[in-house]
């Protein structure tokens, strides 16, 4: 199989295409043929070692002192189950799935094995693989902050800064589902996109331009 390998820490061209053996799933794992995989901020930070001041040493200790210990980056995937282990009960071959691999990475490859009890689920039928591959990172972050921690509800008002980004886009949709009143902040070019996601009020960063919607 083909995979993208991060050779070292660098902001330059440090990614190469390599040939690897297709992995064999353990008893509790699925082998997924990856249709799409995203590139998000986590991949970029590990690739470039561009992390907040004071975190470089911690990042190197955790992810590899001189180069990434897990050189195949990629945390979000969408694909089709190609093979299952002997103990897998939740999925079957040819199921369309999405998965979040987290710090295990490995998504930038044609195949990947994931545990059936990890962050993996059947792909919603109304999403293409391309759309589904970018939902996990932003969706899980937004859900964690808004639902688990803030316990957002219909009586709340929320301002979402960076509303057109991965987390922001999902935050608007979750807040809209919970019937909260949403004020969003984004660039002018993303006004219509953010409005269509469900924001009640939209402001720009630069000139405080305001769009009142009928949401």
């Amino acid at each position: 199989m083909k995979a993208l390998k991060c050779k070292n820490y660098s902001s330059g061209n440090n990614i190469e295409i390599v040939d690897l053996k297709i992995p064999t799933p353990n008893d509790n794992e699925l082998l997924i043929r990856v249709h799409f995989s995203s590139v998000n901020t986590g991949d970029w930070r590990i690739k470039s070692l561009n992390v907040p001041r004071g975190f470089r040493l911690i990042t190197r200790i955790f992810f590899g002192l001189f180069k990434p210990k897990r050189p195949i980056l990629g945390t979000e995937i969408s694909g089709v189950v190609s093979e299952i282990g002997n103990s897998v009960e939740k999925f079957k071959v040819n199921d369309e799935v999405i998965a979040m691999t987290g710090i295990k990475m490995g998504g930038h490859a044609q195949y990947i094995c994931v545990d059936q009890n990890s962050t993996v689920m059947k792909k919603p039928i109304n999403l293409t693989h391309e759309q589904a591959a970018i939902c996990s990172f932003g969706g899980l972050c937004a859900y964690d902050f808004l639902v688990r921690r803030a316990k957002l509800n219909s009586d709340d008002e929320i301002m979402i800064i960076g509303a057109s980004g991965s987390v922001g886009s999902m935050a608007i949709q979750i807040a809209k589902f919970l019937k909260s009143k949403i004020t969003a902040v984004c660039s002018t070019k993303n006004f219509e996109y953010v409005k269509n996601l469900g924001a009640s009020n939209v402001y720009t960063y630069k000139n405080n331009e305001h769009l009142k919607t009928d949401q």
Side-chain angles (χ1 to χ4, degrees):
M1 71 174 184
K2 301 292 185 182
L4 296 180
K5 180 181 179 181
C6 182
K7 298 181 290 185
N8 49 47
Y9 296 119
S10 172
S11 58
N13 184 15
N14 59 340
I15 302 293
E16 64 179 351
I17 299 175
V18 297
D19 288 300
L20 299 175
K21 183 180 178 180
I22 296 176
T24 301
N26 294 326
D27 285 348
N28 212 39
E29 290 183 330
L30 326 169
L31 175 66
I32 300 172
R33 179 175 175 81
V34 178
H35 283 215
F36 280 91
S37 177
S38 76
V39 177
N40 59 41
T41 56
D43 301 308
W44 170 71
R45 289 195 181 280
I46 294 174
K47 174 190 177 298
S48 63
L49 204 63
N50 190 329
V51 295
R53 192 171 184 178
F55 281 84
R56 277 205 166 199
L57 179 59
I58 296 174
T59 302
R60 283 183 180 272
I61 291 173
F62 196 81
F63 288 102
L65 284 175
F66 304 107
K67 60 182 180 180
K69 290 188 293 186
R70 298 179 178 89
I72 310 302
L73 305 181
T75 61
E76 296 179 286
I77 64 167
S78 180
V80 176
V81 176
S82 177
E83 186 180 342
I84 60 174
N86 294 328
S87 301
V88 173
E89 298 177 346
K90 297 180 179 180
F91 301 90
K92 63 182 185 297
V93 173
N94 292 327
D95 278 348
E96 295 186 333
V97 296
I98 57 176
M100 180 78 173
T101 63
I103 60 173
K104 292 182 178 180
M105 304 287 179
H108 295 165
Q110 289 181 301
Y111 290 89
I112 185 174
C113 288
V114 301
D115 191 290
Q116 69 167 341
N117 296 314
S118 63
T119 310
V120 57
M121 62 175 286
K122 291 182 180 179
K123 181 183 73 66
I125 60 174
N126 62 327
L127 295 180
T128 66
H129 282 291
E130 186 175 9
Q131 293 169 330
I134 60 172
C135 290
S136 303
F137 178 79
L140 288 172
C141 288
Y143 181 84
D144 181 55
F145 284 110
L146 297 188
V147 180
R148 291 179 179 170
R149 303 190 191 198
K151 303 188 186 305
L152 194 70
N153 59 54
S154 59
D155 297 323
D156 293 328
E157 297 183 13
I158 182 173
M159 173 176 280
I160 300 171
I161 300 173
S164 61
S166 173
V167 179
S169 296
M170 291 297 181
I172 291 176
Q173 294 174 79
I174 291 173
K176 179 69 176 179
F177 177 79
L178 296 173
K179 303 186 185 307
S180 302
K181 184 176 181 181
I182 307 160
T183 297
V185 182
C186 64
S187 62
T188 303
K189 67 179 182 179
N190 290 319
F191 260 30
E192 288 301 317
Y193 170 68
V194 168
K195 180 191 75 172
N196 290 335
L197 287 178
S200 303
N201 295 282
V202 187
Y203 291 88
T204 65
Y205 291 111
K206 293 184 178 180
N207 56 14
N208 204 33
E209 184 179 354
H210 175 235
L211 172 68
K212 176 74 174 179
T213 76
D214 57 359
Q215 303 287 344

